[in-house]
Amino acid sequence: MDGNGPDSWLIDADFEQPPQVDLRTDRAHSARVYDYLLGGKTNFPADREVGDRVLADLPEARVGAAAARAVMHRMVRRLAEEHGIRQFLDVGTGIPTAPNLHEIVQAVDPACRVVYVDNDPIVLAHSRALLSSTPEGRTAYVEGDLREPEKFLADPAVAGTLDLTQPVALTLINIVHFLSDEAAHPPVRKLVDALPSGSFLALSAGTADNAPKAAEAGVRRYAEAGIEVHARSHAEVERFFTGLELDDPGVVLINHWHPELGGPSEQFDAPVSVYGGVGRKP
């Protein structure tokens, strides 16, 4: 992750790619490796090389990637349907993959508002897919880095899209495991502190608890490409929810998080080495 500042882009239908953006396709990026594992097409040889090495050690990695995407869908739908949340701040958005977050929540209520934040220039290049809001709602894309929340929170697109006096769901899906505890916890806490009472944190993070050898191999393959990965224990993931009221069923393997809403079945515990949960700010 190497954010390039909080510049926001509100992109029209003819937008293809800002000419000043350097996509840096010669080196792997976690968002593009994830896109490759999902079967997407927005990736490059450096990303596919890392993905293939991960798959060689962990053939089920594609199942895990799909489960991570599916749990995001379930989490935001439940937040909109059951908890009445109408504002979402998604940090570490990744490559647009339909259905995107705003499509899920605006299907519940077209008036939902969403701000996407990411630091991968190729996400910026494709961000028009993130801006196809319903007429009643609104979406915005802000270039920013989780490690510097004060920068993107100050972006006019955030204030122009979200009312931070009303509850917001902060979604951090498969992003904190790319940061150490020292790098991840302070910004997550700053973001939660910036949100009003009644807001939620939805978070997922990789673990080695249920498949330690596979997780070790995955961490090693990413490290070989210069991508830092930290696999956390259940207690370490739960620590991100300190001071929050955990929604049922707490922090669990993501394929166990409200599976009735759709997603992989419980037989996939080993390859789905990711914990997730949702917590409410009192």
Side-chain angles (χ1 to χ4, degrees), residues 214-238:
E216 180 183 353
V219 169
R220 183 178 66 253
R221 292 305 190 188
Y222 276 100
E224 290 170 353
I227 300 173
E228 179 182 3
V229 176
H230 298 268
R232 289 182 169 88
S233 68
H234 183 270
E236 289 170 330
V237 176
E238 212 170 37

Side-chain angles (χ1 to χ4, degrees), residues 76 79-81 84-88 101-115 133-139 161-162:
V76 299
L79 284 166
E81 290 180 341
I85 299 298
R86 296 296 181 262
Q87 303 189 107
F88 296 80
L101 188 155
H102 70 279
E103 294 168 311
I104 298 294
V105 299
Q106 288 182 348
V108 177
D109 184 344
C112 285
R113 294 183 165 221
V114 179
V115 171
S133 174
T134 59
E136 301 91 335
R138 187 170 181 184
T139 64
T161 306
L162 304 178

Side-chain angles (χ1 to χ4, degrees), residues 1-274:
M1 298 172 58
D2 52 353
N4 298 310
D7 298 330
S8 65
W9 295 80
L10 298 181
I11 300 164
D12 63 29
D14 296 326
F15 175 87
E16 288 298 334
Q17 176 182 315
Q20 69 270 40
V21 172
D22 177 7
L23 297 183
R24 301 192 294 270
T25 60
D26 59 327
R27 56 179 175 175
H29 190 286
S30 57
R32 300 193 294 259
V33 175
Y34 181 51
D35 177 74
Y36 176 62
L37 294 176
L38 283 172
K41 297 180 179 179
T42 311
N43 49 75
F44 298 91
D47 311 303
R48 294 191 285 273
E49 181 179 354
V50 175
D52 287 339
R53 289 180 178 179
V54 171
L55 288 167
D57 292 326
L58 183 60
E60 305 92 340
R62 291 192 187 279
V63 174
R69 188 70 185 172
V71 81
M72 183 275 284
H73 292 167
R74 298 198 301 274
M75 286 177 170
V76 299
R77 187 163 68 247
R78 178 172 167 82
L79 284 166
E81 290 180 341
E82 299 297 325
H83 297 292
I85 299 298
R86 296 296 181 262
Q87 303 189 107
F88 296 80
L89 176 61
D90 183 54
V91 183
T93 296
I95 308 297
T97 303
N100 292 296
L101 188 155
H102 70 279
E103 294 168 311
I104 298 294
V105 299
Q106 288 182 348
V108 177
D109 184 344
C112 285
R113 294 183 165 221
V114 179
V115 171
Y116 294 105
V117 180
D118 205 288
N119 69 344
D120 181 5
I122 203 166
V123 180
L124 169 60
H126 289 270
S127 59
R128 64 176 181 172
L130 303 174
L131 299 172
S132 57
S133 174
T134 59
E136 301 91 335
R138 187 170 181 184
T139 64
Y141 178 84
V142 174
E143 187 182 1
D145 192 312
L146 173 60
R147 295 170 297 186
E148 299 176 314
E150 61 282 350
K151 289 187 177 181
F152 62 78
L153 285 175
D155 191 286
V158 174
T161 306
L162 304 178
D163 177 358
L164 296 184
T165 68
Q166 298 298 316
V168 176
L170 168 65
T171 56
L172 301 174
I173 305 300
N174 274 29
I175 182 173
V176 295
H177 52 228
F178 294 113
L179 298 173
S180 66
D181 280 351
E182 294 75 16
H185 280 282
V188 172
R189 182 49 49 191
K190 285 182 182 179
L191 285 168
V192 172
D193 287 347
L195 302 179
S197 174
S199 294
F200 285 82
L201 169 65
L203 178 144
S204 67
T207 183
D209 283 359
N210 61 329
K213 290 184 178 180
E216 180 183 353
V219 169
R220 183 178 66 253
R221 292 305 190 188
Y222 276 100
E224 290 170 353
I227 300 173
E228 179 182 3
V229 176
H230 298 268
R232 289 182 169 88
S233 68
H234 183 270
E236 289 170 330
V237 176
E238 212 170 37
R239 183 186 161 203
F240 284 101
F241 295 94
T242 299
L244 303 181
E245 300 167 348
L246 278 169
D247 192 26
D248 176 70
V251 174
V252 295
L253 291 172
I254 56 175
N255 49 310
H256 290 281
W257 198 92
H258 289 282
E260 74 279 1
L261 299 179
S265 70
E266 296 183 4
Q267 65 180 306
F268 293 124
D269 277 358
V272 183
S273 296
V274 180

